[in-house]
Amino acid sequence: MAVTDTAPGEAAAGPAAARASQDRSAHEQILRRQSARESAARTYARALPIVPVRARGLTIEGADGSRYLDCLSGAGTLALGHNHPVVLEAIRKVLDSGAPLHVLDLATPVKDAFITELFRTLPAGLAGHARVQFCGPAGTDAVEAAFKLVRAATGRTGLLAFAGAYHGMTSGALEASGDALDVRVARLPYPQDYRCPFGVGGPLGAELAARWTQSVLDDPKSGVPLPAGMILEPVQGEGGVLPAPDEWMRRMRRITADRSIPLIADEVQTGVGRTGAFWAVEHSGITPDVMVLSKAIGGSLPLAVVVYRDDLDVWEPGAHAGTFRGNQLAMAAGTATMAYVRENDLTARAATLGARMLDQLRSLAREFPVIGDVRGRGLMIGIEMVEADGESEREGDGWGAGGAGGLGEVGGSVVGGSVELLDPVGRGGTGDADAVVMPGVIPSPRPASPELAAAVQRECLRRGLIIELGGRHASVVRLLPPLTITDEQATAVLDRLADAVAAVARGHGLGGDGQRQHRRCSQGEGSR
């Protein structure tokens, strides 16, 4: 559909003016009542003071008549956008059939069709010998179920998770997430380029992260006994949109398989085509032992499942249950969604359009120093906002010619003021690989700026664009558009975002020319 949405706050004209005034009044009253009556724990409602009353595809209409392009998509739940016809038809079919809506874990034709479609999409190494457990209708309950499963199967209790992770809000899921307060899960470094924990990024940073993991598991004095499982996200979402390197994912698979540690892939947000593959683990070609699924698999309605290897199926009856694990409407909507994504190859669409959007956003970053990094995979995109006048590089910090001792332990040597590291990722430690040369001066990212990110979110909302914030300091602007977004809509999203960034940069006296980028996006640069 064409994007002709008027920006929020545009004045109504003629006879519609009185109705618009009434709509705004109703909108404000609803927001006031929400503030007075709902929990202080509410989140999205604080940054997005809108009252949705109608929605279709990418577009939301508020009670005050304002229209928005929604790049939040229910935090990634809406793979096909709002109220897609195939989803509505699937729901209506169940309602009109007289089928029971609540069935606990009884077998039904609706559930059978859902499981059949789900298994059709699973990685080949898992689909042929998998079991599925329906959980309470939230991803965090599926995470809890996965933990209970691997503990029961291995007889062990500990878990491995990664810095920056987000796995849900129940106690066990929080313990494995990056902001846990009472830590009973061992933390491992998650590779990333812009804020690499080792200060190097790229294949070298991923190699160091992998070797740290091996050391923790193999060192009898590490303080980490052999765990019941490892849980990871193929792309960290709430952690700041950090795609895991494919070779690092393969290393994690080998490390866990060699030590009989079940590998749990949290695909709650990355699944059903979001990253340009139906499941994000497919980019690396690995087959996890357990997959945690929710969000898009319910086709916009609450549903969560755990899929796992059949030899892990050691549970006693009732070992994990939930009153609402038999959501028939969600199963019907999920079946329709998964089939539509598969049959229309929306995974390839997400990969192609996502790469194009990333290219255009990187052009925007070259204009505005307040954008520190642009990253993502498929239609899971992050733009990290930074202080424009922060430190940009540091001398050595122990990694240059005077401080390479640590690297010597993994086959390193000093070469002319830089560090030469043998055996890059995946070479098996033979020492005969090509050397990786690392400069003596290592770039250091500028400080994250949650203030600028929040300002960009506000400016986007004024322009009729809904975005999310995430990352370590809530400094990452996140785009999660539906997989059905058109080229024209993508251009409109990028135009509004570019205008918002330009407005924030001007407001903070940080320069940049947003008009040049706006013209490029409007002309469809990169859309060939």
Side-chain angles (χ1 to χ4, degrees):
M1 71 176 185
V3 178
T4 57
D5 310 297
T6 55
E10 182 175 320
R19 174 60 184 274
S21 178
Q22 292 174 352
D23 289 344
R24 284 193 295 272
S25 176
H27 161 93
E28 292 165 1
Q29 290 174 25
I30 290 171
L31 289 178
R32 280 197 295 270
R33 287 194 293 271
Q34 181 187 44
S35 180
R37 299 189 295 201
E38 289 191 27
S39 165
R42 66 190 187 280
T43 54
Y44 295 108
R46 295 180 184 275
L48 303 171
I50 63 176
V51 182
V53 293
R54 278 173 294 276
R56 185 65 175 261
L58 184 69
T59 304
I60 287 179
E61 183 178 339
D64 61 350
S66 298
R67 300 184 73 195
Y68 303 88
L69 301 181
D70 179 14
C71 279
L72 174 56
S73 298
T77 298
L78 305 172
L80 304 184
H82 294 276
N83 294 327
H84 193 280
V86 303
V87 172
L88 297 182
E89 176 59 26
I91 293 171
R92 289 192 189 101
K93 185 176 179 180
V94 174
L95 292 174
D96 292 344
S97 72
L101 300 183
H102 188 284
V103 294
L104 297 172
D105 66 355
L106 301 179
T108 72
V110 173
K111 178 193 278 191
D112 184 64
F114 173 84
I115 295 173
T116 298
E117 182 60 37
L118 174 62
F119 276 39
R120 184 180 288 129
T121 71
L122 291 176
L126 185 59
H129 50 92
R131 293 288 185 271
V132 59
Q133 166 71 27
F134 288 84
C135 305
T140 189
D141 188 64
V143 168
E144 299 282 355
F147 292 169
K148 289 167 65 175
L149 173 72
V150 297
R151 283 169 169 151
T154 65
R156 303 188 290 263
T157 58
L159 293 165
L160 297 176
F162 291 86
Y166 177 76
H167 298 293
M169 295 299 291
T170 51
S171 66
L174 277 175
E175 287 175 2
S177 298
D179 55 355
L181 299 177
D182 181 17
V183 177
R184 291 185 289 177
V185 177
R187 287 295 186 287
L188 299 168
Y190 191 93
Q192 54 173 304
D193 289 340
Y194 190 61
R195 298 190 186 277
C196 174
F198 304 103
V200 294
L204 178 57
E207 169 68 8
L208 293 172
R211 293 195 181 205
W212 179 275
T213 300
Q214 288 178 273
S215 175
V216 165
L217 289 170
D218 295 343
D219 182 354
K221 297 295 185 181
S222 70
V224 178
L226 192 67
M230 171 191 285
I231 185 168
L232 58 75
E233 299 160 275
V235 180
Q236 284 195 347
E238 300 304 317
V241 192
L242 301 171
D246 291 338
E247 181 56 36
W248 178 83
M249 288 284 289
R250 290 188 281 270
R251 285 290 293 277
M252 293 304 100
R253 176 66 285 188
R254 291 197 295 271
I255 288 170
T256 53
D258 289 348
R259 295 159 180 81
S260 298
I261 301 170
L263 178 62
I264 306 167
D266 183 338
E267 291 259 16
V268 168
Q269 192 168 92
T270 54
V272 193
R274 169 63 54 189
T275 68
F278 206 97
W279 307 108
V281 293
E282 294 176 313
H283 291 292
S284 60
I286 71 166
T287 300
D289 303 297
V290 184
M291 293 177 65
V292 178
L293 315 177
S294 188
K295 290 191 185 296
I297 65 162
S300 76
L301 299 178
L303 188 65
V305 301
V306 181
V307 179
Y308 53 91
R309 284 194 348 253
D310 54 11
D311 62 308
L312 296 174
D313 197 23
V314 299
W315 273 339
E316 295 294 327
H320 194 81
T323 300
F324 295 101
R325 64 192 184 277
N327 189 337
Q328 294 281 278
L329 293 181
M331 291 177 191
T335 302
T337 297
M338 289 188 290
Y340 190 89
V341 170
R342 177 178 55 80
E343 292 167 359
N344 292 275
D345 201 13
L346 293 190
T347 56
R349 169 69 177 164
T352 301
L353 182 57
R356 188 185 307 156
M357 293 177 73
L358 283 169
D359 284 345
Q360 294 181 25
L361 288 168
R362 286 170 181 141
S363 294
L364 184 68
R366 286 191 285 272
E367 296 189 44
F368 293 101
V370 294
I371 298 178
D373 192 35
V374 174
R375 54 188 179 252
R377 196 157 208 173
L379 289 174
M380 193 171 181
I381 295 171
I383 305 102
E384 183 164 347
M385 306 302 295
V386 297
E387 300 292 345
D389 55 355
E391 180 186 11
S392 62
E393 65 180 18
R394 62 179 180 271
E395 294 288 338
D397 282 354
W399 290 92
L407 285 174
E409 298 176 3
V410 290
S413 61
V414 178
V415 181
S418 63
V419 175
E420 183 179 84
L421 182 68
L422 298 180
D423 183 31
V425 170
R427 297 301 183 95
T430 62
D432 59 0
D434 293 337
V436 175
V437 178
M438 191 172 68
V441 177
I442 302 169
S444 178
R446 295 189 296 274
S449 180
E451 295 81 9
L452 290 178
V456 169
Q457 185 182 46
R458 289 193 298 270
E459 290 295 333
C460 282
L461 194 64
R462 292 191 183 102
R463 289 158 174 79
L465 176 62
I466 296 172
I467 59 170
E468 185 180 11
L469 300 183
R472 290 342 197 243
H473 304 282
S475 62
V476 178
V477 172
R478 299 185 60 199
L479 299 178
L480 292 164
L483 310 188
T484 52
I485 184 173
T486 67
D487 288 349
E488 185 181 12
Q489 288 172 334
T491 296
V493 166
L494 295 180
D495 283 350
R496 296 182 191 196
L497 178 58
D499 284 347
V501 171
V504 169
R506 287 195 302 269
H508 288 75
L510 299 174
D513 184 355
Q515 293 305 311
R516 294 198 305 273
Q517 174 67 18
H518 177 83
R519 285 196 296 271
R520 282 201 299 273
C521 288
S522 295
Q523 292 165 3
E525 180 180 86
S527 63
R528 295 182 295 277

